[in-house]
Amino acid sequence: MTPDVHTLLPIAEQAVTIAADILTTRLPGAVTAKGDRDMATEVDYAVEHAVRDFLTRETPEIAFLGEEEGGPARGAGPVWALDPVDGTANFLHGIPLCGVSLGLIDGDTSVLGVIDLPFLTSRYSAAHNHGAHLNGRPLHCGQAADLTEAIVGIGDYAVGQAADARNRLRLAVTGELAARVQRVRMFGSAAVDLAWTAEGRIDAAIMLSNKPWDTAAGVLIAREAGAVVVDLDGTPHTVNAQATIATTPAILTDLLDLIAKADKNLIKEARHRPALTNPPQEPT
């Protein structure tokens, strides 16, 4: 089945309207711990249930994957991918940089996306080969021609298991960015990072991770606005990518070189780090 994105976009818009209404009219409610400093609120679950129910009725032939309760393993057919509240920590603290992200994945690429940032009254939408829009007006990414002109968003640092190891590259990249770009920003929401890259509010977004519910909508919106979205090695981004890097085309090469330099320096430091002569002992 090849999805008809022209027909499905209004359905996705309706689903996100349902979600945004819940997000803006309910308090977060009870918080469920999912791991170290990772949580979901009652609103996360309420949004996911409501959107799942709506899309199951409207598009029963399309599978559904939600961040909180998962879904069937992705196969050859299309699948909706929902982050019910992208930026849950922001939402809990009353920070308006949070919203709903709904994408449609066909095979391994995004073909449709809707992001609603209801506390900013901003809705971003795109369908493959139909352009990207913000509240109905066409979107175009920024025009930064050099890293010194660029504002770059970087994704959240890792928490949970092996966070220290996973954050080494994130911290190294942050340091390289601080030395090169105009400003570095961390907004705490992949949806915001990608939507604002599409809008040209920022010139690039670097997320050294890739979850389909986080990125499915934003990747397509950024691409349709003229941004380039790639993996760490510069190949086009897919749901199987290791990372999500969206940028205005002119600074893509320099940005990838900067990330590669940070990685190379980490490897060099590890090789020259002296071994501990008296390593700590496990408790008896």
Side-chain angles (χ1 to χ4, degrees):
M1 169 192 170
T2 300
D4 180 356
V5 293
H6 183 72
T7 301
L8 291 171
L9 182 57
I11 295 173
E13 295 261 16
Q14 291 178 62
V16 170
T17 295
I18 293 168
D21 181 63
I22 295 171
L23 187 57
T24 54
T25 59
R26 300 191 192 181
L27 295 174
V31 177
T32 301
K34 300 195 294 182
D36 174 35
R37 291 167 287 166
D38 187 15
M39 72 293 291
T41 69
E42 287 183 13
V43 167
D44 288 81
Y45 289 105
V47 168
E48 187 159 318
H49 293 163
V51 172
R52 184 191 296 268
D53 290 347
F54 174 79
L55 291 175
T56 298
R57 290 194 307 270
E58 296 295 321
T59 59
E61 71 283 4
I62 299 177
F64 180 91
L65 173 66
E67 177 181 9
E68 306 308 336
E69 296 185 343
R74 287 187 297 104
V79 57
W80 294 110
L82 173 75
D83 191 333
V85 183
D86 189 70
T88 296
N90 287 351
F91 176 56
L92 269 170
H93 287 267
I95 299 170
L97 301 182
C98 55
V100 183
S101 178
L102 177 64
L104 182 65
I105 300 167
D106 186 30
D108 63 358
T109 58
S110 302
V111 295
L112 183 154
V114 181
I115 290 172
D116 196 298
L117 308 179
F119 301 108
L120 302 179
T121 63
S122 298
R123 176 169 295 185
Y124 303 80
S125 61
H128 181 57
N129 289 334
H130 287 74
H133 297 82
L134 165 60
N135 296 339
R137 66 172 177 82
L139 276 181
H140 303 284
C141 69
Q143 300 298 314
D146 188 88
L147 287 182
T148 59
E149 303 171 4
I151 293 182
V152 179
I154 189 163
D156 278 343
Y157 297 128
V159 296
Q161 188 174 10
D164 286 349
R166 292 157 58 204
N167 280 330
R168 288 191 187 108
L169 181 57
R170 289 167 166 82
L171 290 165
V173 169
T174 302
E176 292 292 336
L177 289 171
R180 295 283 305 280
V181 305
Q182 188 176 95
R183 292 292 187 275
V184 182
R185 296 289 182 258
M186 182 182 283
F187 300 116
S189 162
V192 170
D193 288 343
L194 292 166
W196 282 6
T197 301
E199 189 181 356
R201 286 183 179 231
I202 61 176
D203 301 290
I206 299 173
M207 288 166 278
L208 298 178
S209 61
N210 178 42
K211 300 290 187 183
W213 46 81
D214 285 333
T215 60
V219 163
L220 194 276
I221 293 167
R223 278 184 173 148
E224 290 291 319
V228 181
V229 190
V230 298
D231 199 352
L232 279 175
D233 60 359
T235 58
H237 182 277
T238 71
V239 293
N240 302 311
Q242 179 182 352
T244 307
I245 300 163
T247 177
T248 182
I251 62 173
L252 172 64
T253 299
D254 287 344
L255 204 59
L256 291 175
D257 287 347
L258 181 150
I259 297 169
K261 178 184 177 184
D263 191 34
K264 184 177 180 180
N265 287 342
L266 279 178
I267 295 170
K268 188 182 299 183
E269 289 171 10
R271 286 174 178 167
H272 289 85
R273 190 179 298 130
L276 292 174
T277 55
N278 295 298
Q281 301 296 311
E282 290 292 328
T284 58

